[in-house]
Amino acid sequence: MVIDARRVAELAARNSYGRLVAYLAARSRDVAAAEDALGDAFLAALQTWTESGVPKNPEAWLLVAARHRLLDDVRRTQVKDRVINALKLTGTETQVEPPLDGVAFPDERLKLLFICAHPAIDPSIHTPLMLQTVLGLNAAQIASAFLVAPATMSQRLVRAKAKIRDAGIAFELPETKELSTRLEAVLEAIYAAFTSGWENVTGGDPRNKGLAEEAIWLARLCVQLMPKEPEARGLLALMLHCEARRDARRTADGAYVPLLEQDTSVWSKSMIDEAEQELAQAATFKKLGRFQLEAAIQSIHAQRLVTQRVNWEALALLYEGLIQLSPTLGALVSHAAAIAEAKGLEQGLTLLEVIPAEAVRNYQPYWAIKAHLLKHLGCESEAEKAYARAIGLTEDSAIREFLIRQQQTNFKS
């Protein structure tokens, strides 16, 4: 019974956390209070469900418990005007809760994403705030992605939530003219969530399980809300192309399979077809953006399903365009790798070596690609050092083992 209660609670947290926080925050006007109330509801669930059994609708049970906690806090502190009035509008203050077993409450996640992108909030905290409030990542996970101390990130998130509460930021979708100005931040957060889930392909971190699917769903909501925004479609296409290859990224025993060695018959053709449709639709608006270019890059790789080859010249050209729009470290390194395939290893290595050393000091893909190029150029000593650096920076055990095999294969006597 204990195991069942904990398992159901973990499943509810994974599948419903964002929806529950968004729903509660939209009615309490206080993100932090909604998170605290839901946290207490989960703790209560572990005890109650263990003793009395798991309810028919765990999500509804958690919602009711969290709403009662919010009301208790309001009564205790007598901070009534704004919060109580909001809760009364939704009937939350009724003494007898209506039966919720068959009721599906509104999904407020997309609304909360746009609220978190409000211009009154520091733009640098938009994405971290969305990742925590809507997608349930904790401060330590977010801090790791943004290369800051967990305590620093936690303080920034607390201040941002206080800003939403104290400034009385409206919990509703902004006017149409304001949607476009906030869309970029929303798409960035959705993609960051997808990346967290994508990198967790082995399921090693259960907190990230399902994040990729959640991100795709949120991107679909963005497309529905703003069908004429090509970047929303570009992001959806990008994620669908990547997700289509999920089952090909590991062997049956969990070994890492690099993209160029993946069995294309395992790729999801339906996802690829949908991605191509979204990308084609985005192109009709003639407004090129970063996510469209990244999706087009993945589309080139997807063509291997039919052609059995990669058009490296086209890939290099797309990366050049991406660098002009968004000169990220990932784009620069990937461009060098494409040039190495299209025009020669030496040219690719030259492009790698002009990237500032400080920028790539701890960037694992740079060292992995550099090691690969040096290996095939016969620069054994330099390649060995690059492999060692890449291996040391790799957190995924399967990728680490792959790189170790590559290193050993290269220098086997």
Side-chain angles (χ1 to χ4, degrees):
M1 184 68 75
V2 174
I3 295 176
D4 286 344
R6 183 172 296 278
R7 181 176 57 80
V8 174
E10 289 176 349
L11 186 64
R14 188 164 65 240
N15 294 339
S16 306
Y17 180 86
R19 293 207 309 136
L20 289 166
V21 166
Y23 183 84
L24 292 164
R27 282 145 185 82
S28 68
R29 307 299 200 265
D30 190 331
V31 176
E35 291 176 328
D36 289 343
L38 185 57
D40 283 353
F42 275 111
L43 290 175
L46 288 176
Q47 180 178 350
T48 304
W49 297 356
T50 299
E51 297 172 352
S52 307
V54 176
K56 289 182 180 179
N57 189 334
E59 189 177 62
W61 191 101
L62 290 164
L63 175 61
V64 171
R67 293 201 304 189
H68 279 310
R69 158 65 196 275
L70 280 172
L71 279 170
D72 288 344
D73 285 350
V74 169
R75 294 190 183 101
R76 239 187 341 261
T77 59
Q78 297 186 347
V79 180
K80 290 187 176 182
D81 292 340
R82 184 177 70 251
V83 180
I84 278 288
N85 287 336
L87 293 173
K88 282 180 178 177
L89 290 175
T90 64
T92 306
E93 203 184 14
T94 55
Q95 295 298 314
V96 180
E97 288 290 347
L100 290 174
D101 283 350
V103 177
F105 54 87
D107 190 337
E108 306 276 15
R109 285 174 297 178
L110 192 61
K111 180 189 293 185
L112 188 52
L113 284 174
F114 278 93
I115 290 166
C116 291
H118 193 283
I121 300 170
D122 182 355
S124 68
I125 201 67
H126 282 166
T127 293
L129 184 59
M130 294 179 212
L131 290 175
Q132 186 179 69
T133 59
V134 182
L135 292 153
L137 275 68
N138 61 38
Q141 290 172 286
I142 299 168
S144 176
F146 285 82
L147 303 179
V148 300
T152 300
M153 180 57 70
S154 181
Q155 290 171 358
R156 292 176 183 174
L157 290 165
V158 168
R159 286 197 295 268
K161 292 170 193 174
K163 180 74 173 181
I164 292 174
R165 182 192 65 230
D166 298 340
I169 292 173
F171 270 73
E172 57 190 21
L173 284 172
E175 295 181 6
T176 303
K177 62 182 180 181
E178 296 176 344
L179 281 173
S180 295
T181 62
R182 302 190 196 184
L183 180 63
E184 181 180 354
V186 170
L187 296 182
E188 289 287 350
I190 292 173
Y191 187 47
F194 177 82
T195 301
S196 295
W198 175 250
E199 292 174 349
N200 190 46
V201 68
T202 59
D205 188 344
R207 296 171 298 182
N208 287 356
K209 190 173 182 181
L211 266 181
E213 293 87 346
E214 187 86 347
I216 289 173
W217 172 247
L218 288 169
R220 292 189 196 281
L221 293 180
C222 280
V223 171
Q224 290 174 18
L225 178 67
M226 308 175 72
K228 294 184 179 180
E229 285 290 346
E231 276 294 83
R233 293 185 181 275
L235 175 60
L236 179 56
L238 167 61
M239 295 191 298
L240 286 169
H241 266 308
C242 293
E243 189 67 8
R245 301 195 296 264
R246 175 173 290 275
D247 291 342
R249 297 176 65 206
R250 295 289 191 271
T251 63
D253 60 359
Y256 169 72
V257 183
L259 175 57
L260 297 179
E261 297 178 19
Q262 288 176 12
D263 179 358
T264 58
S265 68
V266 181
W267 293 354
S268 170
K269 190 174 185 303
S270 62
M271 279 194 184
I272 291 173
D273 289 344
E274 184 184 357
E276 291 296 298
Q277 290 170 10
E278 291 294 342
L279 189 55
Q281 185 65 32
T284 64
F285 298 101
K286 302 185 185 304
K287 184 182 174 185
L288 193 60
R290 168 201 167 188
F291 289 121
Q292 293 169 76
L293 277 169
E294 293 207 34
I297 287 167
Q298 297 306 321
S299 177
I300 294 290
H301 284 294
Q303 290 172 16
R304 188 161 67 86
L305 183 63
V306 176
T307 65
Q308 304 303 312
R309 61 178 293 272
V310 176
N311 187 336
W312 291 106
E313 291 78 8
L315 207 56
L317 186 61
L318 286 171
Y319 273 119
E320 285 181 23
L322 180 60
I323 289 169
Q324 291 180 14
L325 283 180
S326 179
T328 63
L329 194 53
L332 292 168
V333 171
S334 296
H335 177 238
I339 288 294
E341 295 286 350
K343 299 183 178 180
L345 301 176
E346 294 86 352
Q347 289 194 44
L349 186 60
T350 297
L351 287 176
L352 281 181
E353 291 181 338
V354 298
I355 301 174
E358 183 58 28
V360 299
R361 187 166 58 91
N362 295 317
Y363 190 59
Q364 189 271 355
Y366 171 89
W367 295 103
I369 290 173
K370 186 171 185 178
H372 174 78
L373 297 183
L374 288 168
K375 166 184 174 179
H376 289 282
L377 284 169
C379 305
E380 295 191 3
S381 177
E382 292 179 75
E384 188 168 12
K385 292 177 182 177
Y387 269 120
R389 190 66 172 270
I391 292 166
L393 291 169
T394 302
E395 296 183 359
D396 188 313
S397 60
I399 296 178
R400 188 184 304 115
E401 290 172 7
F402 170 81
L403 290 172
I404 290 172
R405 288 196 301 272
Q406 292 294 303
Q407 183 186 41
Q408 291 173 343
T409 299
N410 186 44
F411 301 117
K412 186 179 289 184
S413 57

